[in-house]
Amino acid sequence: MVSVGERTPSAGETGDLAALAVLDEAALLEGLRERFLRQQIYTDIGDILIAMNPFQPLPLYGREVAERYRHQETGTLPPHIFAVASRAYHAMLGRRGGGPQSQCIVISGESGAGKTESTKLLLQHIMNLCKGNSQLERQILQVNPLLEAFGNAQTAMNDNSSRFGKYIQLRFQNNTVRGAKLSEYLLEKSRVVQQDAGERNFHIFYYMFAGLSPEKKEMYGLLDPSLYRYVSGRFGTQDVAQRWKHKYQEVCNALDMVGFQEQEQVDMQAILAGVLSLGNVTFEPEESSESLKVSETSRGWLKAAAGQFGVQEDELLKCLICTMSVTRGEQIQRFHTQQQAEDARDSIAKVAYSRVFGWIVSKINELLAENVDPDVELREIGILDIFGFENFAVNHFEQFCINLANEQLQHFFNHHIFQLEQAAYKEEELPWETITFNNNEPILNLLLAKPLGLLSLLDEQSAFPQATDKTFVDKLNSSFKGNLHFQPGRGHALGFSIVHYAGKVHYTAGGFLEKNRDTLPANIRGLFINSVTPLLSVLFTATISRTGTLMPHVKAKVALGADDKFNSTRKQSAGAQFRHSLMVLMERMYSASPHFVRCIKPNSQKEPGVVDSQVVLQQLRYNGLLETIRIRRDGFSWRPSFEEFAERYGILLVKADVSLTKESCLEILQSTDLTGWICGKSRLFFKYWHQEQLAKYVERLERAAVTIQKVFRGFRYRKIYLKRVAELRAQAQRLQEEAERERSQQLAMEAETQKRISLPVPMPRKRRPQPGAHLPDKPPVPRPRSKLTESTPFDNFLDPSAPRPVLRTEEQIGEEAMRKLQRGATLRWFKETQAQKVMQDDGAFPSWLHGMISRREAENLLIDKPLGCFLIRISQSRPGYTLTYRGEGRCRHYMIEMQPNARYVILGEDRAHASLTELVQYHQTVGIQPFMEILTVPCRQKISDSLDSEDLKCLRLDLPAAMGKTPPEEQPCPSRPSTSRPAQQSGGATVLRHVWFRRTSSCQKQQSPDKSRTTASSVQKEGSQQAFPRLHSSIRLAMQEIQQFSSTPSNTSVQSCCQAHSTEDAKAK
């Protein structure tokens, strides 16, 4: 056993609480308070990070800070969330001891402690570490704002609370991200139909109301938000609405960036509008029968919901007011009570929204899936951002599941930090004083045990049709009588209490059975599968996995009233799905190396710069941070085996064939200056800082190895170079000698010829014609030119300055042929898919768009232009464009990618554009990353027959000639020549003939003095390119009917009441 002194860093200097001299709650609290008031919100406990929510923006995440935390030696830097990302990334690559291994980062804390922001910062820094500058990295960063809009909401504790859990898996090949996968857990879909006091619905509804234009609202069938019951008639102040409008634009951009098609986005928003309209449908009894009918004031809402869902109004009404069943071949119709009809209405709204959310997650996984060989081994970094522990005034089934997930995460933390570590000390027989901790395993047994756990009893009661919430509570009281972690409800209130690791929480049992059953009205699935809205059909054709994941697939339409097994007994309950999803999550996390981020909420009022000691101390206690500090200070968090250590660090001995034994490990350690480690029977025990110290030794040897490689390669290639130079010189000397020999022979032949000139010239003797050779006189046939010869258009080379024929090899010919093929394919792509989009209404191309010119030609065009001048050229080797920008002292070239959903993105940017013109206009005000260069003056095409606009001039000038028509009188434009080309040069593609005709006719319509006709034609033209809901005409008629009823006095009073609520809410804000 080897044991030398320990390092004792100062807690004040390094921000590491494991270095505290006095370890108690007061010292811990005071250390956190002092750092927080100095705006040092991050503090380390060994390799565990504590992050306190500042409730205000801080300058801690700029480019300079990110660059400092890029490398793995972060021990000398202050604690930071970027340091956790850097440690996980380098450990995944195998640079921190041990081989490459998958990592996971667990972010935990109360609701409002800052978990969502921490997740975004971790993703941002990991993508910065990749430095691949691929579009995939930008798409991954857009996932968070997209999911926040659909899965977050304002609660009593947090303005941006995650109402679902997510686990993001980043897949890496070597050091480059290749794909991503997202898993979501337990969306709180009951929030769609009901919110408690001081809370709101999901963000996306408010974003749509604030961000959609009046025309789009009319298209989707959205009216004033005060009319909708599902948003409680509350909206917000003008400043809040402006912020929501900006958020809606971010959501639309995220959808474009990730790759959602335009029609999919339209269908999705139409379904969301249908959910809101369905919430306003009310029922009243029929006077002549026992059935229900839709109230007179809500018929328009039913018609609007049917149009937005793309179904028939009468079929939707049947699903709401009655149930159809088949018994012994006979169809039986049973009418709902008013409460059953309202429950059916709310159930449809909840399921529709939850399936839209599940489809978004599934679509993200499809678009961001890795595109690599299945045999390639990928490593991953998982980031868990799950709902925090919640204890509201009224707690429902959702809070029970949320707190169950937090119990599971706390057990995972205890298992890794306390149980595994102390078990290793006992196994290796090290002297160790056991540290006691709050073990929450009995609570998990109470909740998850089979067959007598709380969730098992809930499923058992849910299977009985006659069971109620009261029978469920009675079953709990009888089963858990005497359990220390269960307390029966008091008084007449139907409920029970669970003593969680974070404190006692009282749950209201009302709705537990109904939410766990998660039923859907019979026949509604068949109705929605047959919807004319493709997305809604896909959502209800999809199946649900054991973990609650939506799995879309293509299926034929079903007949209404057919046997629907969607609500059969084989369907799993919501609690069972959540249990399975937690099991899968834990399996993934246990198979990876964990990193922990514990988020702390400094106060409950969300005020910056305020520390509530009682609130912080309560979180420190139930998180077990005092015990965590003790085990990190006295314990050994890194425990590699002898084989792992010798294999990884054998290089430090600088000798070959290092044996993987205990002796080799001791020899390695004795060659270093490390102190504080312990050698056990089968493994070594190190402090948390030893990994970074060993990494520095390895890095020093790696730098030395690179220097040796550099010198050796320089020596080797210099020898090759000198040998090659000698060969070339010898070859040149041989060629020179041959040339001199040929020149001597030529001079001798010329001298001989001069001698023969003075002699008399004899008459040529006629040849005798050979038999059978009677051929007519023909001019001599020239010898065909070799394909290896490329010459000028002139056939003589009398001019010494004229270029000579160039002989090329077969490899060069192949490369040129490939370039021609690529050029031709790109030109066809431009003519067939892009010309119509880029061409202006007058039939001309924008002045900044040049033809298929090379990089050098583009730079030559910009060489004498002012700073900020730019042009866009068609790429020569790929379908796409390149933006060339005149910068300071040089030109920059930005690749413009066209995504599968027809959106244009500059590689490295996080914004998608519907057209090239929109892209140019946007970057005339917003700089292009990373140098934030703003486009100023376009570089116009040349008038002469130069290469820069050759392709565009061919397209523009040859289209009228190809149609046999003369184009209308054109206005002078600097982007086009004033003269036309000869007819023999025309060769435009057929598809562009129609382009020119449509563009020219549209110009003529715009020049017409009838403004109404011009407006109509422009609207028609815009509509031909824009996606619409399938039944938008029915939606418009329903909106007119609703507005007629809204203008009546009774409804006016309802509106004023809603507006009063909105005003009160604004004052509360």
Side-chain angles (χ1 to χ4, degrees), residues 837-873:
K837 297 179 180 179
V838 178
M839 197 177 290
Q840 298 173 352
D841 289 335
D842 60 354
F845 290 100
S847 59
W848 39 259
L849 180 65
H850 291 238
M852 188 177 288
I853 60 176
S854 67
R855 179 190 184 106
R856 179 61 57 84
E857 290 165 344
E859 292 176 351
N860 290 339
L861 288 172
L862 293 173
I863 194 169
D864 56 346
K865 297 294 189 294
L867 188 68
C869 189
F870 69 97
L871 61 86
I872 293 179
R873 53 192 173 92

Side-chain angles (χ1 to χ4, degrees), residues 726-936:
E727 291 175 353
L728 291 174
R729 286 176 178 172
Q731 183 181 0
Q733 187 175 359
R734 286 196 303 270
L735 292 175
Q736 185 177 2
E737 291 174 355
E738 291 177 2
E740 291 178 356
R741 191 162 45 250
E742 289 178 2
R743 182 172 179 81
S744 300
Q745 293 175 1
Q746 184 72 17
L747 292 175
M749 289 176 63
E750 290 178 357
E752 187 67 23
T753 303
Q754 290 294 333
K755 291 179 182 179
R756 292 177 182 176
I757 289 176
S758 59
L759 299 177
V761 180
M763 295 293 294
R765 184 168 51 184
K766 294 183 178 180
R767 291 185 179 181
R768 293 181 181 180
Q770 298 182 2
H774 301 285
L775 298 175
D777 296 335
K778 291 184 178 180
V781 179
R783 183 179 179 181
R785 183 176 298 160
S786 171
K787 292 183 178 180
L788 298 177
T789 304
E790 178 183 85
S791 64
T792 61
F794 304 99
D795 290 331
N796 62 81
F797 298 97
L798 298 178
D799 184 5
S801 62
R804 295 295 192 270
V806 179
L807 297 180
R808 293 171 296 167
T809 63
E810 293 184 3
E811 183 179 354
Q812 291 173 330
I813 294 173
E815 291 177 357
E816 182 174 349
M818 182 59 67
R819 283 196 296 269
K820 287 183 178 179
L821 285 175
Q822 291 175 343
R823 179 187 176 93
T826 307
L827 272 178
R828 283 195 302 273
W829 165 80
F830 178 78
K831 292 177 181 179
E832 295 172 4
T833 66
Q834 297 294 298
Q836 182 179 356
K837 297 179 180 179
V838 178
M839 197 177 290
Q840 298 173 352
D841 289 335
D842 60 354
F845 290 100
S847 59
W848 39 259
L849 180 65
H850 291 238
M852 188 177 288
I853 60 176
S854 67
R855 179 190 184 106
R856 179 61 57 84
E857 290 165 344
E859 292 176 351
N860 290 339
L861 288 172
L862 293 173
I863 194 169
D864 56 346
K865 297 294 189 294
L867 188 68
C869 189
F870 69 97
L871 61 86
I872 293 179
R873 53 192 173 92
I874 305 170
S875 175
Q876 293 179 319
S877 59
R878 61 180 176 83
Y881 302 91
T882 302
L883 188 151
T884 303
Y885 176 86
R886 175 72 166 84
E888 239 180 278
R890 60 169 296 177
C891 288
R892 301 191 194 277
H893 304 270
Y894 297 97
M895 293 175 61
I896 301 177
E897 294 285 348
M898 186 173 181
Q899 298 190 151
N901 60 351
R903 293 297 189 265
Y904 300 87
V905 181
I906 295 180
L907 197 63
E909 281 286 318
D910 54 4
R911 186 175 181 87
H913 305 273
S915 65
L916 280 178
T917 304
E918 181 183 314
L919 182 147
V920 170
Q921 292 173 350
Y922 176 78
H923 287 293
Q924 285 176 336
T925 56
V926 180
I928 304 174
Q929 296 178 0
F931 303 103
M932 304 310 294
E933 295 172 327
I934 294 180
L935 308 181
T936 55

Side-chain angles (χ1 to χ4, degrees), residues 584-603:
V584 173
L585 174 64
M586 289 298 115
E587 288 175 4
R588 290 173 180 164
M589 292 170 60
Y590 276 110
S591 64
S593 179
H595 304 259
F596 296 99
V597 178
R598 309 292 271 185
C599 295
I600 301 292
K601 185 166 61 173
N603 60 79

Side-chain angles (χ1 to χ4, degrees), residues 189-190 192-194 229-230 275 278-281 283 320 339-352 519-521:
K189 54 189 176 184
S190 62
V192 176
V193 300
Q194 183 181 7
R229 190 175 65 87
Y230 282 167
V275 168
L278 187 64
N280 286 2
V281 176
F283 306 94
L320 292 171
Q339 183 61 47
Q340 288 174 333
E342 292 174 353
D343 291 343
R345 174 200 63 198
D346 292 344
S347 178
I348 293 172
K350 290 187 293 184
V351 173
T519 55
L520 185 69

Side-chain angles (χ1 to χ4, degrees), residues 63 107 213 292 298 302 333 396 411 430 450 534 551 564 615 623 677 682 691 779 798 868 889 927 946 963 1058:
R63 188 187 302 275
I107 308 170
S213 63
L292 295 174
S298 62
L302 178 66
Q333 186 178 34
H396 301 287
H411 181 266
L430 297 184
K450 291 184 178 181
M551 299 187 298
D564 186 7
V615 171
N623 280 320
W677 51 270
S682 62
Q691 280 181 295
L798 298 178
S946 59
M963 296 183 61
C1058 292

Side-chain angles (χ1 to χ4, degrees), residues 891-1023:
C891 288
R892 301 191 194 277
H893 304 270
Y894 297 97
M895 293 175 61
I896 301 177
E897 294 285 348
M898 186 173 181
Q899 298 190 151
N901 60 351
R903 293 297 189 265
Y904 300 87
V905 181
I906 295 180
L907 197 63
E909 281 286 318
D910 54 4
R911 186 175 181 87
H913 305 273
S915 65
L916 280 178
T917 304
E918 181 183 314
L919 182 147
V920 170
Q921 292 173 350
Y922 176 78
H923 287 293
Q924 285 176 336
T925 56
V926 180
I928 304 174
Q929 296 178 0
F931 303 103
M932 304 310 294
E933 295 172 327
I934 294 180
L935 308 181
T936 55
V937 183
C939 177
R940 300 181 180 274
Q941 303 156 7
K942 288 189 175 181
I943 303 299
S944 61
D945 292 339
S946 59
L947 291 176
D948 71 326
S949 56
E950 188 77 18
D951 304 309
L952 302 184
K953 287 190 290 186
C954 284
L955 292 175
R956 176 67 186 89
L957 296 174
D958 293 346
L959 289 174
M963 296 183 61
K965 297 182 180 181
T966 303
E969 192 68 23
E970 299 179 357
Q971 299 294 330
C973 177
S975 63
R976 302 192 309 273
S978 58
T979 59
S980 61
R981 289 181 173 231
Q984 61 267 23
Q985 292 186 8
S986 64
T990 306
V991 65
L992 292 178
R993 301 175 189 173
H994 305 289
V995 174
W996 177 84
F997 178 75
R998 282 199 295 269
R999 297 289 186 180
T1000 308
S1001 60
S1002 66
C1003 290
Q1004 291 174 349
K1005 288 182 180 180
Q1006 288 180 1
Q1007 293 172 2
S1008 173
D1010 190 352
K1011 294 184 179 180
S1012 62
R1013 291 179 56 189
T1014 304
T1015 305
S1017 64
S1018 62
V1019 171
Q1020 183 179 3
K1021 174 185 171 185
E1022 183 182 357

Side-chain angles (χ1 to χ4, degrees), residues 358-359 362-363 366 538-539 541-544 549-554:
W359 171 79
S362 174
K363 190 74 176 177
E366 175 189 337
V538 168
L539 296 183
T541 304
T543 55
I544 306 296
T549 303
L550 189 77
M551 299 187 298
H553 58 83
V554 179

